[in-house]
Amino acid sequence: MSDWITFALPKGRIMQDSMELFGKIGITCPEMDEKGTRKLVFENKEQKYRFMAVRATDVPTYVEYGCADIGVVGKDTLLEQGKDLYEPLDLKFGYCRLVVAEPKALQEDDDPTNWSNIRVATKYPNVTERYFASKGVQVELIKLYGSIELAPLVGLSERIVDLVSTGGTLKANNMVEVETIAEITSRLIVNRASLKTKHQRISEIIDGLEPLIGDEVKISL
């Protein structure tokens, strides 16, 4: 199956958006439309495409190690993990922001320019540490895996770094955004070895997607 192209896609909405976009350039997989399926690998044997349904945080690993040639993943995951991957396209969907937030009561007398040593709860310790180091702020990191907004409410941390979309969850927990670290969208990523060994097929995919999202892209081997 050396001439097949394998995609690693996050389960859920990003997978749906990805397949909708791929469909516009003729890449489809009818097998994925089956209701209630628990399969994790799907194939379009006629087109020689394979699709793996994985956790979003695992997409870069599958692509870096060559189990998948191409993946779709949020820029937040790429920033956090720092994998050795080729990132040719911003797919422009899945938009959100990675922000620093704190309780509204704390913000009233707070000045971020005076921060020197703070405690932050986050799913993104690497991004958070780099961000505050660039500002000369010492940070004590607390790694959490969910419900980050709970940390300040129970005194685990003063502030959080997390993804926000509408900001509704922050508002519901009496928290406010203080600073934006990065704007996040879904990115197309490619295994570097695959880009050489399957250059023609992968180039056709990238070239087909590029005019749909308005990016300019150069492929370098």
Side-chain angles (χ1 to χ4, degrees):
M1 292 188 174
S2 60
D3 56 343
W4 282 57
I5 297 293
T6 299
F7 295 79
L9 302 176
K11 300 174 184 178
R13 180 59 186 271
I14 297 299
M15 175 179 277
Q16 296 173 13
D17 289 345
S18 298
M19 293 307 299
E20 181 178 337
L21 180 62
F22 294 150
K24 293 179 180 179
I25 60 171
I27 298 175
T28 62
C29 187
E31 190 180 23
M32 296 175 73
D33 297 331
E34 298 176 8
K35 300 295 184 182
T37 181
R38 295 191 177 186
K39 291 183 65 174
L40 298 175
V41 180
F42 307 88
E43 293 182 349
N44 182 326
K45 294 182 179 179
E46 182 179 348
Q47 294 183 329
K48 294 186 177 180
Y49 290 124
R50 182 186 297 107
F51 303 86
M52 298 163 39
V54 304
R55 288 187 61 173
T57 52
D58 292 337
V59 170
T61 300
Y62 281 107
V63 176
E64 183 183 43
Y65 281 88
C67 299
D69 304 295
I70 294 174
V72 175
V73 70
K75 182 64 176 179
D76 56 312
T77 301
L78 297 176
L79 290 171
E80 177 65 20
Q81 296 186 6
K83 301 288 189 181
D84 183 22
L85 300 163
Y86 180 57
E87 184 188 329
L89 292 175
D90 179 349
L91 300 178
K92 306 290 179 69
F93 56 74
Y95 176 81
C96 51
R97 301 180 313 284
L98 188 62
V99 306
V100 183
E102 65 186 11
K104 189 174 182 179
L106 181 60
Q107 187 199 37
E108 295 174 0
D109 298 313
D110 191 28
D111 181 358
T113 61
N114 292 330
W115 290 350
S116 60
N117 194 325
I118 61 175
R119 179 186 292 177
V120 178
T122 184
K123 299 176 187 176
Y124 303 95
N126 295 326
V127 175
T128 301
E129 186 172 31
R130 289 196 303 268
Y131 176 73
F132 284 109
S134 71
K135 298 167 68 69
V137 177
Q138 279 193 313
V139 59
E140 179 185 351
L141 294 169
I142 299 176
K143 175 81 179 282
L144 294 177
Y145 295 90
S147 302
I148 307 298
E149 294 82 5
L150 179 62
L153 299 180
V154 298
L156 182 61
S157 71
E158 302 150 318
R159 298 169 182 86
I160 65 172
V161 167
D162 201 13
L163 288 179
V164 300
S165 180
T166 64
T169 303
L170 290 180
K171 186 176 181 180
N173 289 282
N174 294 313
M175 298 189 68
V176 292
E177 297 178 35
V178 180
E179 297 178 339
T180 297
I181 295 176
E183 295 189 331
I184 305 298
T185 50
S186 295
R187 308 300 173 99
L188 191 80
I189 56 175
V190 180
N191 174 271
R192 291 191 179 278
S194 297
L195 185 59
K196 297 179 180 180
T197 60
K198 304 177 182 182
H199 183 69
Q200 182 175 348
R201 293 202 73 191
I202 291 176
S203 295
E204 289 173 355
I205 293 170
I206 295 172
D207 291 344
L209 293 173
E210 187 270 325
L212 297 179
I213 56 180
D215 271 7
E216 294 182 2
V217 60
K218 295 180 180 179
I219 298 179
S220 57
L221 297 179

